[in-house]
């Protein structure tokens, strides 16, 4: 009878109406019906991601989208700047190495946000850098980077701005066009509330121009093949039709709610989670915390793994632990997917109860009260 | 109120219990539960595909699996032999070119089956050929190639045997290990009765040895990353969890039926379809027809496109047309997925009715009777 409560930073809970879409019988994809669905989901995504750029749907995990954003844009020997401060940002560097790029790193300790001024300085010093690879929300540390300010300095210097928005875009404010993002990569299984299996890649006209000059673009991840098929809302290879239908439904829900409302909600959930956790001795891992998830160091004396295990066995509450240097030191709570205020309250209550059960001194209800205060304050203006 | 009857060679109808699996809430994949599911589906696939080799599940279309089978195995400049006689076989050559392989082609007109003796002759003449790329069932022409006999000559000469089994493996007899198949690529959306989005790749120890010597294996399609994760039944990147659960259910159904029974059924469905179509003037496009689908030239004077369109508008029956040189000349009927004897009878009746409606002289019921005769004969021994 135990409930399952998924609050990991991907996959996230999928709305019922999207799940039911998946249970429908499979239909063929070389049809007017599929093309209409494809067109609808792309128009919806343009609104959700705030872009007029082309959007490509690739049957792959987010990593496949990241690989496409490197392989299609960077010729062997070309210089790329990677903003590296966490597990997923480091993947950009790994990909650059794999494809023979010359990788320049602006590295910071995990948890630190990048400064646009420093990016500007690096670009001014090295005119050979063709593209800057960054992250909207670093899922390992919970940092929300200043994609807007960095985008401005990248664009002013006429380089390309590539952003991993896998964990965040769709819940966190992300104005793709206004912020000068040339390629944005998103995964279906995060803020877009769809099962894993789809990478979403937006490409600006500037980025297309560059891609056209790159010889080796692979085959399955060759973005030009997707662009060609897009003209008739087709897919170059058999698309994951069922997942696209589920994505269409989830995007419909996001549009109904209004994307700015979704961003506001995410902001409030994140603020309440931080307030609650800090009240009972947790410390934020991120100096500029993201809205998509909260990464927090457990209080002194608390065993993070034991806490997470018990949250799952006692309450079916699935949070995530730390990765890399944060392994065993933090917990991660996502605010993406169909997560609301009471889910946050419940999660904080569960943490209080398990900490007390495991012998730590916690005043029951205090984390919950701190979160509720944020939610109550939010309502005053509604 | 019109029914939809999907009989295209991919996607194919998905059984209800597999569809319902997809409607379940998404759960996390870094869990014991996912690893148990992963292990179960791999064991099931080993039985269905008759192999003890490693099986890798990649979130991609079948094309992604084909790219992996070229990029991971063939170094630039290496020689590969492609058995080319249809749209999908030609994809092997395209992939080889894309990755800098030296592609040698054994080319035949569309619809012709390859001769093992000729493969042997080509390999004997050119010891530099490292691998042979072929097709179990060529979906464009409906030819079932003699993968067993060709595999024997390839193995005797110590080359690698790579087979595109995307449209067929799981319905057509395919004894991966006995037939010496080093890499077999299968798609989820064909005989495995699962929505599109998963490529299944089997890899022999001989193929692994070769893959270990290849430097550039990409990233998302790097098979060594999948092998490493497989040790703990994990996936290197976020796997398409829901699709894997649906695949597990469909594989369970195939095992319950018994894979040899499934092969026998497929054989009978294909034989009955051919008997029915030939009775009303269709002509087979394949000299060695596959069990997975039937590709047939329409009778003289019949407009294939008009026939297919009317089958869909009048009966909701979705068949496929021709590709490349067969465009506008043939119809293609699949026997894969949850297709049974009465589906074949219905499809033949629909074809009879539409041909008569469109002014062609067809004796109503004759194609149906020819198919029924095959089914009746089959039952005698049951």
């Amino acid at each position: 009878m135990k409930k399952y409560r998924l609050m990991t930073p991907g996959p996230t809970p999928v709305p019922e109406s999207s799940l039911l879409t998946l249970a429908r019988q499979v239909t063929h994809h070389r049809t007017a019906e599929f093309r209409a669905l494809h067109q609808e989901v792309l128009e919806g995504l343009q609104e959700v991601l705030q872009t007029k750029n082309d959007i490509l749907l690739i049957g792959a995990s987010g990593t496949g989208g990241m690989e496409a954003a490197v392989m299609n844009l960077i010729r062997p020997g070309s210089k790329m700047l990677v903003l590296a401060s966490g597990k997923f940002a480091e993947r950009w560097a790994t990909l650059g190495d794999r494809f023979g790029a010359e990788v320049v790193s602006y590295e910071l300790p995990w948890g630190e946000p990048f400064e646009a001024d420093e990016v500007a300085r690096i670009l001014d010093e090295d005119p050979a850098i063709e593209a800057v690879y960054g992250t909207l929300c670093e899922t390992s540390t919970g940092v929300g980077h200043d994609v807007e300010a960095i985008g401005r300095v990248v664009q002013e210097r006429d380089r390309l701005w590539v952003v991993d928005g896998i964990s965040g875009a769709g819940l966190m404010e992300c104005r793709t066009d206004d912020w000068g993002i040339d390629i944005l990569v998103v995964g279906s299984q995060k803020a877009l509330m769809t099962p894993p299996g789809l990478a979403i890649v937006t490409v600006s006209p500037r980025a297309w121009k560059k891609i056209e000059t790159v010889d080796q673009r692979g085959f399955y991840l060759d973005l030009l093949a997707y662009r060609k098929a897009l003209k008739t809302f087709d897919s170059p290879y058999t698309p994951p039709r069922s997942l696209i239908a589920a994505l269409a439904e989830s995007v419909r829900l996001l549009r109904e709610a209004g994307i700015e409302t979704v961003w506001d909600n995410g902001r409030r959930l994140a603020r309440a989670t931080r307030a609650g956790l800090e009240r009972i001795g947790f410390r934020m891992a991120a100096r500029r915390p993201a809205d998509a998830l909260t990464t927090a160091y457990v209080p002194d004396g608390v065993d993070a793994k034991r806490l997470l295990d018990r949250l799952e066995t006692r309450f079916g509450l699935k949070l995530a632990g730390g990765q890399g240097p944060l392994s065993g030191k933090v917990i991660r709570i996502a605010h993406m997917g169909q997560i609301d205020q009471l889910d946050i309250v419940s999660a904080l209550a569960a943490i209080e109860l398990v900490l007390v059960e495991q012998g730590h001194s916690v005043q029951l209800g205090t984390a919950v009260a701190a979160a509720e205060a944020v939610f109550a304050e939010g309502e005053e203006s509604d």
Side-chain angles (χ1 to χ4, degrees), chain A:
Chain A
M1 296 290 286
K2 202 166 61 190
K3 288 200 180 181
Y4 184 73
R5 295 174 163 90
L6 183 65
M7 292 181 75
T8 57
T12 64
V14 175
E16 188 185 50
S17 57
S18 308
L19 287 172
L20 291 177
T21 298
L22 288 163
R24 298 187 61 187
Q25 186 51 273
V26 166
T27 56
H28 206 266
H29 51 278
R30 303 286 179 220
T31 56
E33 181 222 359
F34 173 73
R35 283 187 281 268
L37 174 77
H38 195 184
Q39 182 170 6
E40 184 207 324
V41 69
L42 296 183
E43 283 170 5
L45 284 168
Q46 284 189 325
E47 186 178 321
V48 165
L49 303 174
Q50 298 281 294
T51 183
K52 295 198 171 354
N53 289 342
D54 287 334
I55 300 183
L56 315 171
L57 302 184
I58 303 176
S61 80
T63 301
M66 291 177 77
E67 176 169 4
V70 173
M71 180 171 55
N72 283 267
L73 203 62
I74 297 289
R75 278 175 304 235
S78 291
K79 262 194 182 170
M80 60 189 266
L81 172 62
V82 171
L83 311 184
S85 156
K87 178 182 156 89
F88 291 96
E90 286 165 10
R91 183 157 288 170
W92 283 132
T94 306
L95 283 163
D97 287 340
R98 193 68 71 100
F99 292 100
E102 196 179 322
V103 176
V104 181
S105 281
Y106 166 14
E107 225 167 310
L108 286 179
W110 282 37
E112 293 296 310
F114 298 104
E115 303 292 341
D117 289 350
E118 177 63 13
V119 174
R121 199 193 57 74
I122 298 171
L123 293 179
D124 288 339
E125 259 184 21
D126 194 342
I129 292 171
E130 297 179 2
V132 181
Y133 285 78
T135 312
L136 175 66
C137 164
E138 171 57 55
T139 321
S140 58
T141 60
V143 172
H145 291 291
D146 194 346
V147 168
E148 180 179 13
I150 300 169
R152 201 174 308 124
V153 308
V154 173
Q155 211 172 23
E156 281 166 4
R157 282 151 187 85
D158 205 27
R159 321 296 169 88
L160 293 161
W161 181 213
V162 182
V163 174
D164 165 3
I166 293 173
S167 298
L171 178 96
M172 281 169 70
E173 185 173 358
C174 181
R175 301 184 183 270
T176 304
D177 291 355
D178 288 353
W179 296 359
I181 303 174
D182 291 294
I183 297 187
L184 177 74
V185 181
V186 190
S188 54
Q189 80 280 15
K190 309 268 187 169
L192 298 180
M193 309 186 296
T194 302
L198 268 175
I200 295 108
V201 180
T202 79
V203 185
S204 74
R206 271 155 43 93
W208 280 128
K209 234 177 237 171
K210 186 67 185 298
I211 291 169
E212 286 160 8
T213 70
V214 174
D215 294 326
Q216 178 53 281
R217 303 178 308 273
F219 191 82
Y220 185 67
L221 298 175
D222 176 356
L223 295 180
L224 291 182
Y226 288 83
R227 179 171 72 167
K228 194 177 160 204
L230 195 61
K231 281 178 196 158
T232 48
F233 294 103
D234 277 309
S235 177
Y237 316 114
T238 303
R241 170 78 177 74
S242 306
L243 294 179
I244 291 174
L247 177 65
E249 172 61 16
S250 292
V251 167
R252 230 171 269 143
L253 296 174
L254 289 171
R255 288 178 87 174
E256 271 170 33
I259 191 63
E260 305 226 2
T261 305
V262 171
W263 295 342
D264 285 345
N265 275 337
R267 240 173 242 130
R268 203 180 299 176
L269 295 180
R271 201 148 56 83
T273 306
R274 293 195 297 269
L277 288 176
E278 281 174 342
R279 180 73 63 90
I280 54 173
F282 286 76
R283 205 160 42 80
M284 294 307 113
R287 201 151 61 73
R288 191 178 192 274
D291 303 330
L293 84 157
T294 297
T295 302
Y297 287 104
V298 295
D300 287 342
V302 171
D303 180 331
K305 194 182 171 309
R306 217 178 131 226
L307 168 62
L308 292 168
D309 286 349
R310 186 61 184 149
L311 287 169
E312 196 171 350
T313 54
R314 182 163 165 193
F315 295 113
L317 175 63
K318 179 82 181 160
L319 307 181
Q323 298 169 305
L326 298 184
S327 180
K329 297 180 182 165
V330 301
I331 62 170
R332 294 183 297 149
I333 307 180
H335 318 309
M336 294 175 287
Q338 218 179 17
I339 299 290
D340 68 5
Q341 298 184 354
L342 295 187
D343 290 322
I344 299 296
V345 165
S346 303
L348 291 169
I351 291 169
E352 291 178 347
L353 286 164
V354 170
L355 286 178
V356 166
E357 181 189 357
Q358 294 184 339
H360 302 286
S361 87
V362 166
Q363 185 91 31
L364 290 173
T366 49
V368 167
E372 282 187 53
V374 171
F375 295 140
E377 161 202 335
E379 284 313 293
E380 286 166 26
S381 59
D382 281 11

